[in-house]
Amino acid sequence: MAMTRTVGVAVFRKTCARLIAQVAEQREPITITKHGRPVALLAPVPRPDDGRRQIIGALRGSVLGYDDPFAPAADPAEWDALR
């Protein structure tokens, strides 16, 4: 894992618009420090597709095979409703 970039609060004040644009473009957070101590984290807002799979098609390729797709999943004799 890479270290996050750090910027002093004075530099952040002078260049905040540029730093915000960099974070949005590069998708890498920046730690803001005051007297060498971290005080804030400037991080990109997660995009809808960041780290998540889409629901539609998420299980594509997960079924290995089936003989009769219209057959009951269990033996009808084992159903409680029939007793």
Side-chain angles (χ1 to χ4, degrees):
M1 186 166 126
M3 295 275 297
T4 60
R5 180 175 162 199
T6 60
V7 173
V9 72
V11 173
F12 178 75
R13 283 183 186 145
K14 293 177 184 176
T15 61
C16 67
R18 182 176 53 86
L19 292 173
I20 289 171
Q22 285 177 0
V23 167
E25 180 183 325
Q26 298 171 1
R27 313 293 300 158
E28 294 289 330
I30 296 176
T31 302
I32 301 165
T33 61
K34 186 173 186 179
H35 303 294
R37 293 185 179 165
V39 294
L41 182 67
L42 178 62
V45 174
R47 293 180 181 157
D49 60 348
D50 282 354
R52 293 190 296 178
R53 293 173 53 186
Q54 295 295 322
I55 292 173
I56 297 175
L59 296 176
R60 182 177 294 137
S62 65
V63 176
L64 300 177
Y66 48 88
D67 296 328
D68 187 1
F70 300 106
D75 183 16
E78 296 175 359
W79 295 356
D80 288 333
L82 296 177
R83 295 183 190 168

